[in-house]
Amino acid sequence: MTYLGDYSYSDSAVCMVYERIEGEKDEEGNPLYGIQYRKINDLNGLLASGSTILIYFYSSMDNGSALITASVEEMASEYNGQMTVVMLDAMQYRALVEKYDIEAVPEFILKKNGESDKVFGAFKYDYWTVGDVVYWLNENGIK
């Protein structure tokens, strides 16, 4: 993807990319693959690309989001090739938070070319799990 840059685990806008882990091999000598975080060099271009994108808003101020982030990594692996998973720090992307009327994080937005953007609406639930997000994705055509 031309919108992505180098590996980064500290930028406020990253893409979870399922790819070969450089220099890593399994016990049989086969290359290992997994989620790598790539810095997003052109967020506006990526969002306007027409690709199917899941935006995962989180807060760098919330230490409790690590478990959700790990589950989102699993979704990025599972749905590799069907959608691109973008991880944005809500504290740094206030304009997008306002655009989608996000009241709390974590939150998920699904962008599909030719359709209106879908908001998971985590704030409306008393309790939700990542399984609920997967169900929501399935309802919106991501199988």
Side-chain angles (χ1 to χ4, degrees):
M1 285 186 167
T2 59
Y3 307 105
L4 305 181
D6 292 333
Y7 299 109
S8 175
Y9 291 87
S10 60
D11 278 278
S12 59
V14 295
C15 188
M16 294 180 179
V17 180
Y18 183 80
E19 62 187 3
R20 183 177 179 187
I21 302 172
E22 196 171 312
E24 296 291 324
K25 297 185 182 215
D26 66 14
E27 295 170 357
E28 298 166 356
N30 299 313
L32 288 177
Y33 289 80
I35 292 297
Q36 303 289 308
Y37 286 45
R38 293 287 190 118
K39 178 180 179 178
I40 299 174
N41 291 331
D42 181 4
L43 180 61
N44 291 331
L46 178 60
L47 296 179
S49 69
S51 300
T52 299
I53 298 172
L54 177 68
I55 305 172
Y56 163 50
F57 283 98
Y58 73 100
S59 172
S60 58
M61 304 296 287
D62 177 18
N63 292 333
S65 64
L67 290 174
I68 293 171
T69 299
S71 295
V72 173
E73 287 179 6
E74 288 180 32
M75 286 191 308
S77 292
E78 183 177 328
Y79 295 111
N80 178 47
Q82 295 181 59
M83 69 180 183
T84 301
V85 178
V86 170
M87 185 170 153
L88 300 179
D89 184 345
M91 302 299 288
Q92 300 296 319
Y93 290 91
R94 300 295 308 160
L96 286 174
V97 167
E98 290 175 15
K99 174 183 176 179
Y100 292 112
D101 197 25
I102 294 172
E103 297 184 43
V105 291
E107 183 60 272
F108 300 89
I109 309 297
L110 181 61
K111 295 182 65 62
K112 290 175 68 177
N113 191 26
E115 296 182 19
S116 61
D117 299 345
K118 310 279 194 274
V119 180
F120 174 66
F123 185 75
K124 296 183 292 186
Y125 297 92
D126 290 333
Y127 176 79
W128 60 269
T129 68
V130 173
D132 295 318
V133 177
V134 170
Y135 180 80
W136 170 76
L137 287 171
N138 290 333
E139 283 187 323
N140 286 288
I142 308 296
K143 305 275 183 203

